[in-house]
Amino acid sequence: MTSRFRAARGGDLERIEALIDARIRWMDETGIRQWNVTNYREVYPRGYYERMLREGKLFALDDGGEAVAAAVLLEEDLRWRDAPLPALSVHNLVSSLRGRGAGREFLRLAGERAAALGKRALRLDCAADNAKLNRFYENLGFRAAGTVEDGLYRGLRREKTDLPGRSLDVNAFLFEGYETLDVFGPAEILAHIGDYRLRWFSRGGGEVINAQGLRVLTEPLSAADPRGALLLPGGRGTRPLAGDGEFLAMLRELADASTYCLSVCTGSALLAGCGALDGHEATSNKRALAWATSCGEKVLWRDRARWTKDGKFYTSSGVSAGMDMALGFVADRFGRERAAEIARQIEYRWNDDPDDDPFSENSRR
């Protein structure tokens, strides 16, 4: 979307109230319990927004002269008084139901503002029992960081530290027999993000030989910063690892700690086998889908998807699909224009629709 992040103006207040009322009706219609069961409009009346406007704390995402998202941004937040990092807190985020991506774009730009102010984190909270919203925030890199109680409200605090200008390790977890393009396709794309640092790991470190005979010198997994992004390939080497309890335990620990988890091809079978994907949507190489699904019966497998995203987990179909997924991941973090520019730079025709899976018939052969 073409939009502008700005301080709210007096003329935005009626529009913001209309966005809130529309969201409350939507929550009633969809069975989501949050603002509609906490007397939200009484707790946050118009006078509250007028005060936030006067104090310069109310911000809006402008699209064509109209506010399509808005929130209060605080540099001091009593709900986080026990947290040491300097941060910017987001409260009362509301976005338009028309179109898609306004809330996501507002948070991306709020992260840029936090970084410009010298903050080390962007924070928010949401209802602890709102699974869909928690998955949305998890997908954006907001990690769980405690709870909050305020009257009828029971919330989960979330914190995002991978702000613009702050480095994030991309931890490629390699093993004997992995597929070349599974790793180096996404790695080429992620390397275009200046804040991302590619690192290469294996279970015990040392040289790892892949399915095509490529030799890579790796660090031991114990040396990884687990708070980074996990990149897990597939390939023939996943078959023996699916029954390797020690490896699966290491993978589960790393996946749980990672801010983001990206798997390519049958890498998702390993994430399923260690239990990390339980209750999440996922896909895999369509020629190996029957085997992948057998590795995790609690996973919500999709037999027609180029790639999936569910919370912090991204999974792709076979081999080249990892590049489409990686560009989708970049678009979610940095905006669609950034992803499209990377695709142009590497002269790659991006399949940007995760549901456009021309190879799904392979799962039925």
Side-chain angles (χ1 to χ4, degrees), residues 33 88 91 107 119 176 191 220-221 236 256 261 286 303:
R33 294 170 54 83
L88 191 65
H91 283 274
L107 289 171
K119 307 301 183 183
E176 298 290 323
L221 190 61
R236 295 194 297 268
D256 286 349
C261 294
K286 299 309 182 292
D303 62 1

Side-chain angles (χ1 to χ4, degrees), residues 2-239:
T2 301
S3 54
R4 183 167 62 93
F5 185 81
R6 59 170 173 79
R9 301 186 290 256
D12 295 320
L13 291 177
E14 287 190 11
R15 171 62 177 167
I16 291 171
E17 287 188 309
L19 292 176
I20 293 170
D21 290 339
R23 275 291 170 185
I24 291 174
R25 290 193 297 271
W26 174 78
M27 290 174 185
D28 285 334
E29 293 167 359
T30 57
I32 292 175
R33 294 170 54 83
Q34 190 152 337
W35 294 351
N36 52 339
V37 294
T38 56
N39 301 317
Y40 190 84
R41 293 288 265 132
E42 295 177 17
V43 176
Y44 299 105
R46 184 182 179 97
Y48 164 78
Y49 287 96
E50 290 174 342
R51 178 165 58 86
M52 293 297 102
L53 180 67
R54 288 195 302 272
E55 295 177 2
K57 298 173 181 176
L58 183 61
F59 289 80
L61 183 70
D62 185 300
D63 184 23
E66 183 178 66
V68 293
V72 171
L73 301 183
L74 302 177
E75 294 191 55
E76 295 184 5
D77 188 347
L78 292 177
R79 290 181 175 179
W80 290 84
R81 56 182 174 270
D82 60 328
L85 291 180
L88 191 65
S89 291
V90 181
H91 283 274
N92 313 104
L93 175 63
V94 64
S95 61
S96 173
L97 290 166
R98 298 200 307 269
R100 297 178 61 184
R104 181 184 293 271
E105 182 68 1
F106 183 99
L107 289 171
R108 184 180 73 83
L109 295 172
E112 290 186 0
R113 178 172 177 80
L117 291 172
K119 307 301 183 183
R120 296 182 59 190
L122 187 67
R123 293 173 175 153
L124 49 74
D125 58 77
C126 69
D129 60 355
N130 189 335
K132 184 175 182 179
L133 188 55
N134 275 287
R135 290 263 179 97
F136 171 74
Y137 288 139
E138 185 180 68
N139 174 258
L140 295 180
F142 288 90
R143 297 162 59 91
T147 59
V148 60
E149 295 186 9
D150 187 357
L152 298 174
Y153 178 63
R154 301 292 182 270
L156 185 65
R157 301 191 314 185
R158 289 190 171 275
E159 181 176 66
K160 177 181 175 67
T161 57
D162 60 316
L163 301 180
R166 296 189 60 82
S167 64
L168 180 80
D169 284 355
V170 176
N171 300 319
F173 192 7
L174 307 183
F175 46 83
E176 298 290 323
Y178 72 86
E179 188 70 26
T180 302
L181 193 60
D182 285 9
V183 171
F184 294 103
E188 168 69 28
I189 290 162
L190 298 176
H192 283 256
I193 305 300
D195 296 337
Y196 285 4
R197 181 174 66 156
L198 292 168
R199 299 183 66 186
W200 314 96
F201 296 96
S202 63
R203 188 186 327 205
E207 188 176 75
V208 175
I209 304 174
N210 82 339
Q212 287 74 39
L214 179 68
R215 298 172 183 268
V216 176
L217 187 61
T218 65
E219 301 176 74
L221 190 61
S222 59
D225 179 352
R227 297 167 298 179
L230 168 63
L231 175 59
L232 185 67
R236 295 194 297 268
T238 59
R239 301 283 177 151

Side-chain angles (χ1 to χ4, degrees), residues 173 230-233 238 242 247-248 251-256 258 260-278 282-283 292 295-296 299 301 312-315:
F173 192 7
L230 168 63
L231 175 59
L232 185 67
T238 59
F247 176 89
L248 293 177
L251 178 59
R252 178 59 187 269
E253 184 176 355
L254 179 59
D256 286 349
S258 295
Y260 308 105
C261 294
L262 289 73
S263 73
V264 181
C265 194
T266 52
S268 60
L270 299 180
L271 285 174
C274 74
L277 284 177
D278 285 358
T283 195
C295 294
V299 179
W301 292 103
K312 69 179 182 181
F313 293 99
Y314 285 71
T315 65

